[in-house]
Amino acid sequence: MNPDLLSQLRDIHAAPPVSWWPPAPGWWVLAALLLLALLWFGRLGLARYGDRQRRKKMLAWVDHLNNTVDAEREPQVWLATLNRIFKLVALRAFPDQHCAVLAGQDWVDFLAVQIGDPSAMDSLNALASGPYDPAPRFDAEALSELTRFWIRRYG
């Protein structure tokens, strides 16, 4: 062995430390999936927030109606407004069932089926003819609670 050749060799050295950037392809995929999940949950959260705000406004509309319109002195106006609230909620909740054209007893039957409470039929019957009846008979408090229930469930 030639001692000159051995003197030309360098000593053992370690590899440079692994850099954290750029990350491996798996981290890019994970980051993309995380971003998509955040966007999806953000959109879902905004939609739920919008739904809650709409329900809150409609419930406030019912409260405003009860505070400003006397159901005994102006029953037609009161019933027509409640009917309008029911219809607005139904148009949004059931767009494929053509509930916009329903009126009278068909409208009340539709509401009774969706509410699912047979005892509600007595109160809902006031919506069919009450706005046109000169002296409608109905329980304003029960009908107001049904409207709140309808808004909370489908609004």
Side-chain angles (χ1 to χ4, degrees):
M1 213 165 175
N2 189 350
D4 275 343
L5 291 176
L6 285 176
S7 67
Q8 292 176 3
L9 290 178
R10 289 191 295 171
D11 197 14
I12 297 175
H13 62 282
V18 178
S19 173
W20 65 273
W21 194 261
W27 288 109
W28 286 107
V29 171
L30 185 64
L33 289 175
L34 183 62
L35 180 64
L36 286 174
L38 285 174
L39 289 173
W40 186 72
F41 281 119
R43 186 174 180 192
L44 185 67
L46 282 175
R48 284 191 177 186
Y49 176 76
D51 289 346
R52 272 187 273 128
Q53 290 299 99
R54 186 181 58 255
R55 282 186 186 108
K56 197 174 178 182
K57 285 180 183 178
M58 293 189 111
L59 289 169
W61 189 9
V62 173
D63 292 337
H64 178 72
L65 174 69
N66 288 331
N67 291 334
T68 57
V69 178
D70 186 11
E72 291 180 15
R73 283 192 282 140
E74 299 177 277
Q76 292 83 8
V77 173
W78 194 83
L79 286 171
T81 306
L82 274 190
N83 207 10
R84 183 174 175 202
I85 294 170
F86 271 104
K87 188 73 83 163
L88 286 173
V89 172
L91 287 173
R92 182 164 177 87
F94 308 103
D96 57 337
Q97 295 194 11
H98 306 292
C99 54
V101 297
L102 296 176
Q105 195 58 41
D106 292 336
W107 171 240
V108 170
D109 292 341
F110 172 80
L111 291 175
V113 167
Q114 299 305 326
I115 289 175
D117 185 9
S119 64
M121 193 68 166
D122 293 336
S123 296
L124 290 173
N125 279 329
L127 295 176
S129 60
Y132 314 107
D133 191 358
R137 300 189 59 163
F138 60 93
D139 182 6
E141 187 61 35
L143 202 49
S144 184
E145 284 305 311
L146 269 175
T147 308
R148 285 187 181 90
F149 172 76
W150 180 256
I151 291 169
R152 283 188 209 104
R153 186 179 223 184
Y154 297 113

